[in-house]
Amino acid sequence: VAGMTVAMPFDAKAMQRVHQLSRGVPRRINLLCDRALLGAYSSGTGQVDRAIVDKAAVEVFGRSDGGAPAVGLAGRRRAIGSWVALAAAGAAALALLISLLGRSDAPPLAAASAPRVAAASAPTSGAASASRTVAAATSAPSFLTAADLQADFDGLPHDERGAWRELATAWTLGLDDGGDPCAAAQRRQVQCFRTANSTLALIRQLDRPGILTLRDSKDRPVYALLTGLTDDAATLRFGSASRTVSLLSLATLWRGEFATFWRAPPEYAGKLVDAGSGASAGWVSAQLAKLHHEPPVTTDVAWKAQVSAFQLSQGLKPDGLAGPTTFMQLNRALGVDEPRLRAATAR
């Protein structure tokens, strides 16, 4: 109905699993499939398999088998109430331990996540309960939800130039407070790259910090610095604060707008480079020859074939034209000094 012309994104095992978890209830099917599609999108794949469906079931239903929790609502409220104080005590003990160890960069524990963390075990004494809560909190990562992040949007930066200057610190560019940050970077042979339709798969390939444009409920842009990325979470920085959000939650706030810096080669004029681009084409040929331990190519056909082969090996579109993403991957292959993404850590 929506006009899909490609293959069904759910494979046979995934559809069987959806039927099993939803028990055929249309509302549950819709909720589960919607979250599963978000999961596939956030991992950069066009196919939903059983593993993605199972993970989505935990997000939507709270259980991987799709069932409702065995404890009734009143029982859950009583249990949560008794665990909140316990978890808060454990979090305070952990904070004290962190301060004694000098771990100023350790992740703070959000009070909202305390009941879920504490419920991992059932201690029998005050001392045992505090120690077990600390252990559970340090071993189980707590990711912010999209709602948590969006609740703070009013206090987050809405200035794109400010986001560029913040990103510039990772590149030790020292851009001036005034003027266009990209123009200032260009004078240092560093280019700005922007795209409105990036994917997490491409960002993983480029492996560099960048600016994500998030959108609030009123479609207003908020700029976050992406500093870390794992299989299931991203670390974002807003000014001095770092937040870790699950990729599923990030996908509800981010539409593919991504920006970053990259070091340009000499004579680069800001345009796509082809075999007839003079000095820039010669530089590309020389660097690819260095990588392959071969002499530089001498014909236009060979140049395009060489560039296409490199692009294909890097997961890029093999069009034989050297643009920003090709140069970024070439820099990475050559070992050019550029910042890299870190593994995301829960905060």
Side-chain angles (χ1 to χ4, degrees), residues 149-164:
L149 200 58
Q150 198 165 7
D152 295 332
F153 267 15
D154 287 341
L156 300 179
H158 294 260
D159 175 23
E160 184 179 7
R161 289 191 174 189
W164 278 110

Side-chain angles (χ1 to χ4, degrees), residues 111-173:
S113 64
R116 179 178 53 184
V117 174
S121 61
T124 57
S125 68
S129 66
S131 63
R132 292 182 187 180
T133 302
V134 170
T138 54
S139 62
S142 176
F143 299 146
L144 291 177
T145 66
D148 294 332
L149 200 58
Q150 198 165 7
D152 295 332
F153 267 15
D154 287 341
L156 300 179
H158 294 260
D159 175 23
E160 184 179 7
R161 289 191 174 189
W164 278 110
R165 293 190 183 93
E166 185 178 350
L167 178 61
T169 61
W171 291 70
T172 62
L173 291 178

Side-chain angles (χ1 to χ4, degrees), residues 168-241:
T169 61
W171 291 70
T172 62
L173 291 178
L175 301 183
D176 298 332
D177 290 340
D180 182 356
C182 290
Q186 192 171 352
R187 291 192 288 270
R188 293 167 173 78
Q189 207 168 320
V190 173
Q191 296 280 331
C192 289
F193 169 74
R194 295 182 179 91
T195 177
N197 55 358
S198 184
T199 64
L200 289 173
L202 175 61
I203 293 175
R204 290 184 200 282
Q205 284 287 95
L206 300 179
D207 189 25
R208 63 190 59 227
I211 302 166
L212 297 184
T213 303
L214 309 181
R215 300 280 174 172
D216 65 14
S217 58
K218 297 181 180 178
D219 202 37
R220 295 175 299 182
V222 174
Y223 302 98
L225 187 63
L226 175 69
T227 61
L229 191 62
T230 63
D231 290 341
D232 57 1
T235 297
L236 308 176
R237 195 169 78 221
F238 304 93
S240 60

Side-chain angles (χ1 to χ4, degrees), residues 11 22 25 47 74 94 118 162-163 169 188 203 207 221 246 268 281 315 334:
D11 63 27
S22 67
V25 178
Q47 192 74 17
L94 179 59
T169 61
R188 293 167 173 78
I203 293 175
D207 189 25
S246 73
Y268 180 74
L334 292 169

Side-chain angles (χ1 to χ4, degrees), residues 51-63:
I52 292 176
V53 173
D54 283 339
K55 188 173 182 179
V58 174
E59 293 272 346
V60 175
F61 304 133
R63 290 174 52 170

